[in-house]
Amino acid sequence: MADAIPDGLPDGTAETVIDGFAAASAVADGLPDAVGGLLSGSAQDAFLTGMNVVTAASAVVLVGIAVLVARAPRHVPPLGQEAPADTADAPEVAAVGRAAAGGGE
C-alpha cells in the first residue's frame, strides 16, 4: 500500500496511513475530497486484496483437510462397533511364528 499513497498528504501522515485500514480511513476523513478519496480507495483496495489472499489460502487448507478426512480413517470402525477380526490372516501369522521358532509345518 505504500506505493499507492497519493501525493499531497500532510507531513507524518504517510506513516500513520500504512498502519492499517482504520488509520487510513481516519486520515482520509480529514483530507480534502480529492486526496481523501484517493487514499480511501487505495486503503479499500489493499484491504480487499489482503482478504482475498487470506480467503484463497483458507480454501486451499480446507480442501486439504477435507481430502485427509475423507481418506484417512477408512480402517476405523464406527463408534460403538468393534473392529472385525481378520481371521484369514490368523493361520498365516501362526505358521510364520512356528517357522520362525523352528517348528515348521
Side-chain angles (χ1 to χ4, degrees):
M1 183 173 148
D3 58 340
I5 296 174
D7 295 330
L9 291 179
D11 293 336
T13 56
E15 291 81 20
T16 304
V17 167
I18 293 174
D19 285 340
F21 181 72
S25 294
V27 169
D29 288 342
L31 294 174
D33 288 340
V35 177
L38 287 173
L39 179 61
S40 179
S42 295
Q44 288 176 350
D45 288 344
F47 179 78
L48 291 176
T49 299
M51 289 296 292
N52 288 337
V53 169
V54 169
T55 301
S58 298
V60 168
V61 170
L62 181 65
V63 167
I65 290 172
V67 168
L68 288 175
V69 167
R71 293 187 54 149
R74 294 205 184 268
H75 65 281
V76 177
L79 290 176
Q81 294 182 2
E82 291 186 26
D86 284 340
T87 55
D89 290 341
E92 182 178 303
V93 171
V96 170
R98 283 192 304 268
E105 280 196 36

